[in-house]
Amino acid sequence: MLAIRISAGRRRKAVALATATVLAGLVAPTLNAPTAGAATTAYDDTYYAAAIGKSGTALKDSLHTIISDQTKISYSAVWNALKVTDQDPDNSNNVILLYSGISRSKSLNGGDVGDWNREHVWAKSHGDFGTSTGPGTDLHHLRPEDVRVNSVRGNKDFDNGGSSFTDSGGSLTDSNSFEPRDAVKGDVARMILYMAVRYEGTDGWPDLEPNDSVTNGSDPYHGRLSVLKQWHQEDPPSAFEENRNEVIYDSYQHNRNPFIDHPEWVESIW
């Protein structure tokens, strides 16, 4: 669902145009705009009803309750799900690989060189949840990626900087961090922050939280929060990301990533 955001500047311009129209003797249409910086979605009166109007910890707690109501799938079922959620819009036989941006045949899923596999954007060692049903199989942070590129990323935290590598697609890496290509930096940020809200340590899984470190190891933290927030602002949700959110909601887990629907909630919580 496309979010509707109307900036203060656009509102001022619209008001000025409306005034000019009235002065010209015509009836101007009424401008119905949301608060500057806020998004509205078709789910606000239903799915997000309990969260609307809240902020900070209260908002995070409310969203946790909402998105924790989900259907869980097995790790083996993730293969076929990714073939749908990440289908190339221009070639229905392929999926788009997250970090490299390569369009690759859906049939080339596996563990060999040239294959694509299941990348845990929130590194599964950060909290040691592995591939068990739960955070290890949550489609909101699982994406297809080239086997070698996935290995280069490993379990590194996210940060700016580094060097290119084979099939990087513009992504960079150094000794302790990974920087995805520009087109998916916001996607990565919103996946990490989704995980931090969904998994709060109340359902047998670790309490996952973002921090500003790039040396988190096996601790249930992921960084670097300040950079992730920057990426979120610079790369707003795309049509591909919004469609992916809908497919997961409609066909698989029946829960949503709230930061795709309401990008302003990132700043409200963090």
Side-chain angles (χ1 to χ4, degrees):
M1 187 70 189
L2 292 175
I4 303 170
R5 294 184 288 276
I6 301 180
S7 68
R10 286 177 61 194
R11 293 206 315 277
R12 286 195 294 270
K13 182 177 179 181
V15 171
L17 289 172
T19 302
T21 303
V22 171
L23 291 175
L26 300 174
V27 177
T30 302
L31 180 67
N32 295 313
T35 304
T40 59
T41 82
Y43 299 101
D44 288 359
D45 294 331
T46 53
Y47 188 74
Y48 292 123
I52 298 300
K54 296 180 179 178
S55 62
T57 301
L59 174 60
K60 188 184 183 194
D61 290 346
S62 182
L63 291 176
H64 169 70
T65 299
I66 292 168
I67 68 177
S68 294
D69 183 9
Q70 73 181 91
T71 299
K72 300 179 181 66
I73 68 172
S74 68
Y75 196 49
S76 61
V78 168
W79 285 123
N80 285 333
L82 293 181
K83 294 176 184 179
V84 180
T85 61
D86 291 76
Q87 178 174 293
D88 183 346
D90 298 320
N91 186 343
S92 61
N93 294 315
N94 289 9
V95 292
I96 298 292
L97 308 187
L98 177 63
Y99 303 132
S100 57
I102 293 171
S103 178
R104 183 165 293 170
S105 173
K106 291 178 179 179
S107 65
L108 291 176
N109 63 296
D112 297 328
V113 173
D115 288 343
W116 61 268
N117 58 8
R118 297 159 291 186
E119 156 70 341
H120 291 80
V121 177
W122 183 294
K124 60 183 181 290
S125 64
H126 290 221
D128 195 29
F129 53 75
T131 60
S132 299
T133 301
T137 65
D138 196 315
L139 290 171
H140 281 295
H141 86 116
L142 283 162
R143 300 289 290 266
E145 188 48 74
D146 175 78
V147 168
R148 289 182 300 181
V149 174
N150 198 348
S151 179
V152 169
R153 188 271 160 129
N155 70 344
K156 294 174 182 175
D157 290 277
F158 295 105
D159 198 3
N160 289 315
S163 302
S164 184
F165 51 90
T166 302
D167 290 334
S168 70
S171 296
L172 305 172
T173 192
D174 57 25
S175 62
N176 61 9
S177 69
F178 190 88
E179 177 182 347
R181 60 192 175 101
D182 290 346
V184 297
K185 282 178 174 169
D187 305 49
V188 166
R190 287 179 283 275
M191 285 185 277
I192 292 294
L193 298 179
Y194 161 86
M195 293 291 282
V197 171
R198 169 60 186 88
Y199 299 98
E200 295 279 42
T202 57
D203 52 2
W205 301 109
D207 181 4
L208 306 181
E209 294 295 339
N211 65 10
D212 228 34
S213 173
V214 290
T215 56
N216 284 304
S218 62
D219 292 330
Y221 307 118
H222 227 301
R224 181 181 299 262
L225 177 59
S226 59
V227 172
L228 292 170
K229 288 177 62 179
Q230 175 189 345
W231 292 350
H232 167 68
Q233 291 294 330
E234 293 174 349
D235 175 35
S238 64
F240 185 91
E241 191 180 359
E242 290 168 338
N243 179 71
R244 192 175 193 278
N245 200 24
E246 292 291 343
V247 172
I248 293 172
Y249 177 69
D250 289 337
S251 302
Y252 295 100
Q253 296 184 179
H254 310 298
N255 72 338
R256 303 182 66 82
N257 183 331
F259 305 116
I260 296 173
D261 294 324
H262 280 276
E264 76 279 7
W265 282 346
V266 170
E267 189 62 35
S268 180
I269 294 174
W270 288 283

